[in-house]
Amino acid sequence: MDGFEIDTVLLLFSFGLVLNSSYTASCSFGNGNRISVSSCTMIHDDEGSVPSVIASDECLSLLQWPISTTASLRNRTIECQFAQLKGRRKYQEDRITCDLDMNMPSLGKNDLKEVRLGIAAVFDGHGGSEASEMASHLLLNYFHLHYVSKMYKLMVQQYKGELTMAESKSLLLQVLKELLLSTIHDIDVKFTQVALENNHICGSTATIILMFDRQILVANVGDSKAFLFSDKIQSAMLSAIELAKDHHPDRDDERARIEAAGGSVIVWGVPRVNGVLAMSRSIGDIYLKRYGVIAVPELTGWQPLTTADRYLMVATDGIFESLTANDVRDLILEWNSHDIQGSSSSLAEYIVNTAYDKGGTDNLSVILIPL
């Protein structure tokens, strides 16, 4: 491939970023920005993390997205139903993020095309809201930066003939999985830096549903929840399928890692790492990382959605202080049959209000996605 063709690829890729108006505030053309695209990718390759990319002038001049830890919830589509209550706690430490209409640049057979991705996530903070606040806001920005860097390299490979269209398509699901892992890692790295500078001792769960092409992937850190509610065959009932495993310190594999790192599992009401933290994986909690607490998520495989699937739910564990998964299933059936009374304006709000009325004391947060 000659220099002109390489420049054409970079220009097309920049154009793809401009089309993605949900994220790109501004981006001009010209040799300078074409160099910035490749420079930004090289910085990503050399440094290996999104924080290093964001810190570079080359990338900031090209990718001018608002990176802030104080922005409010992104709820970009009507498909994202959400509700939150402080509950009976003094502070609201839960945070949520949802965008089911992320139009991302990808390479078609002869030109650029867009693919649609969706992300729904809850972050249950403890010991303060700093970790959940930062994680909820950085999630989409960091994921997008990772996606841009990886897709740019795949596009160049395809134009050079090093990667066929079929190979590129088959790689995408694996790439998205890897990008989600990298995103969570970089959020934890960034928060660790901030926590050390500001003496934060807080942490957060992270439960994330990634949606693409009628398939879902779930990543979980901690003990927030994800469920799929589906029609039962030859029945008016719904089944509740749990999509994420809790990370409690007394789980055999979690306990083994903690003890191997020199930590201990002590029961103080519930099993806790060193008698302090009631989960064995989290974002933050920097003073327990040396004792085996990690921010590495467990990921499911890609699961296709079917015509029987009705709702996806991601929620903090406060909901399940007073409700079971079958209780939530019954609330969905009640709502859809209109056999309810009260002031709830949405099904998500109805679930949160019911959990509170039945005695929930923790912060309460739900994102519900009708399918």
Side-chain angles (χ1 to χ4, degrees):
M1 179 183 288
D2 62 31
F4 174 78
E5 288 173 316
I6 288 286
D7 277 353
T8 300
V9 173
L10 299 178
L11 182 60
L12 286 172
F13 188 73
S14 297
F15 181 62
L17 292 178
V18 174
L19 288 178
N20 189 4
S21 57
S22 297
Y23 292 89
T24 306
S26 64
C27 180
S28 60
F29 295 111
N31 291 331
N33 270 356
R34 291 204 295 274
I35 292 171
S36 290
V37 175
S38 57
S39 298
C40 185
T41 302
M42 286 189 290
I43 291 168
H44 182 275
D45 289 344
D46 293 341
E47 301 297 332
S49 70
V50 164
S52 62
V53 173
I54 292 174
S56 69
D57 293 337
E58 292 93 337
C59 298
L60 284 178
S61 66
L62 176 69
L63 309 173
Q64 298 184 34
W65 304 309
I67 307 284
S68 167
T69 59
T70 57
S72 60
L73 164 74
R74 294 184 182 199
N75 177 41
R76 303 191 60 84
T77 55
I78 59 173
E79 291 93 342
C80 290
Q81 288 189 30
F82 66 93
Q84 291 187 279
L85 277 178
K86 185 176 67 173
R88 293 169 173 85
R89 293 291 179 91
K90 189 173 182 180
Y91 304 105
Q92 174 60 277
E93 296 175 330
D94 289 355
R95 297 293 186 271
I96 54 182
T97 297
C98 191
D99 188 342
L100 303 184
D101 196 19
M102 298 166 61
N103 294 315
M104 309 289 263
S106 186
L107 197 59
K109 185 174 182 180
N110 298 311
D111 55 12
L112 282 172
K113 67 175 184 178
E114 284 189 343
V115 295
R116 187 185 184 205
L117 301 176
I119 288 181
V122 297
F123 303 90
D124 186 347
H126 48 263
S129 62
E130 291 87 357
S132 55
E133 175 72 20
M134 178 175 284
S136 66
H137 187 70
L138 294 184
L139 175 66
L140 298 182
N141 292 305
Y142 277 22
F143 182 83
H144 191 236
L145 278 166
H146 272 298
Y147 182 96
V148 165
S149 177
K150 185 65 175 181
M151 195 55 58
Y152 163 75
K153 287 178 282 186
L154 290 178
M155 287 175 175
V156 171
Q157 283 183 276
Q158 188 171 326
Y159 269 93
K160 286 181 175 180
E162 298 172 356
L163 192 67
T164 68
M165 184 66 191
E167 288 170 333
S168 179
K169 186 175 181 181
S170 67
L171 276 175
L172 187 53
L173 291 180
Q174 180 60 32
V175 164
L176 290 173
K177 189 173 183 176
E178 292 170 359
L179 298 186
L180 192 53
L181 281 168
S182 299
T183 295
I184 295 169
H185 171 269
D186 286 351
I187 289 172
D188 186 58
V189 168
K190 180 61 177 178
F191 181 73
T192 296
Q193 295 170 350
V194 172
L196 288 171
E197 292 168 1
N198 295 276
N199 235 8
H200 294 322
I201 59 171
C202 57
S204 177
T205 71
T207 301
I208 303 163
I209 297 178
L210 179 60
M211 304 177 69
F212 171 68
D213 195 27
R214 291 291 295 176
Q215 299 182 76
I216 59 170
L217 176 73
V218 180
N220 186 52
V221 177
D223 60 1
S224 292
K225 311 289 186 182
F227 284 91
L228 175 64
F229 294 94
S230 305
D231 286 333
K232 285 187 176 181
I233 299 174
Q234 298 179 339
S235 170
M237 297 297 289
L238 293 173
S239 62
I241 303 167
E242 191 164 7
L243 301 174
K245 296 180 181 179
D246 288 345
H247 294 129
H248 291 152
D250 60 340
R251 210 176 87 176
D252 288 346
D253 54 342
E254 300 294 293
R255 179 193 290 269
R257 188 187 66 251
I258 290 163
E259 292 179 346
S264 59
V265 179
I266 300 170
V267 177
W268 190 263
V270 296
R272 299 174 185 273
V273 179
N274 290 4
V276 178
L277 184 63
M279 66 191 71
S280 50
R281 302 193 191 196
S282 69
I283 292 171
D285 291 303
I286 61 173
Y287 299 107
L288 289 171
K289 289 290 172 67
R290 71 187 71 177
Y291 298 111
V293 174
I294 60 175
V296 179
E298 280 190 285
L299 273 73
T300 64
W302 283 98
Q303 175 178 333
L305 296 172
T306 72
T307 55
D309 299 326
R310 291 291 171 257
Y311 291 94
L312 279 168
M313 184 179 80
V314 57
T316 54
D317 70 332
I319 296 295
F320 298 94
E321 220 180 21
S322 57
L323 299 178
T324 66
N326 286 338
D327 290 335
V328 174
R329 174 203 64 193
D330 293 342
L331 294 178
I332 292 172
L333 292 171
E334 288 174 12
W335 180 268
N336 287 339
S337 67
H338 307 289
D339 186 24
I340 58 171
Q341 293 180 346
S343 58
S344 299
S345 61
S346 70
L347 176 54
E349 188 175 326
Y350 182 50
I351 293 170
V352 164
N353 287 340
T354 303
Y356 179 79
D357 292 341
K358 286 185 175 292
T361 61
D362 201 354
N363 297 155
L364 304 159
S365 297
V366 165
I367 298 173
L368 200 65
I369 301 170
L371 300 171

